[in-house]
Amino acid sequence: MNSLLDRNRPYALALFRIVTGLLFASHGAASLFGVLGGAHGGGTVPVGAWPGWYAAVIQLVGGGLVLVGLATRAAAFLASGSMAYAYFSAHQPDALWPLQNGGELSAMFCWAFLLLVFTGPGALSVDALFASRASAGRGRDERSPEAVAA
């Protein structure tokens, strides 16, 4: 059983990354464009408003990058930090525990993205595609017929 789970770990991680990125990007799209119910139940965040508009841009762009697995660790690091800031500036002053202060979502996104910083994107990512192409290019002998033809 463990070997089956271990073999599929990169795919489970990819599914986790995709779902987390999609949910995060959805929050950004709602705040910036008023879709999916809009920001805080309707409307959009005014352009340039601190910190809401900047957070929404990080959510949309960072979530999109994590979703496709491009620059995953850097995007996840920025997203994790933005959620830590959101938790400690907007939620934690109201009460100690996330359940009491409404900060569960900020806390969960913060820790989920921090996990992706350390684990990487998993399978099915643009990062993995670039890495496989780079390693295939380095493994080619310069005197091989493919190298001469190129």
Side-chain angles (χ1 to χ4, degrees), residues 27-55:
H27 278 276
S31 296
L32 292 173
F33 307 119
V35 298
L36 305 169
H40 307 290
T44 60
V45 175
V47 175
W50 176 258
W53 185 81
Y54 297 93

Side-chain angles (χ1 to χ4, degrees), residues 73-103:
R73 289 182 167 174
F77 183 76
L78 182 63
S80 178
S82 74
M83 288 295 94
Y85 176 82
Y87 180 78
F88 286 110
S89 67
H91 299 287
Q92 200 276 328
D94 294 337
L96 178 63
W97 296 102
L99 189 59
Q100 295 172 317
N101 62 31

Side-chain angles (χ1 to χ4, degrees), residues 9 14 34 37 45 50 52 57 64 82 85-86 98 120 122-123 127 129 144 147-148:
R9 180 181 296 151
V45 175
W50 176 258
V57 170
S82 74
Y85 176 82
D127 288 341
L129 179 66
S144 69
V148 173

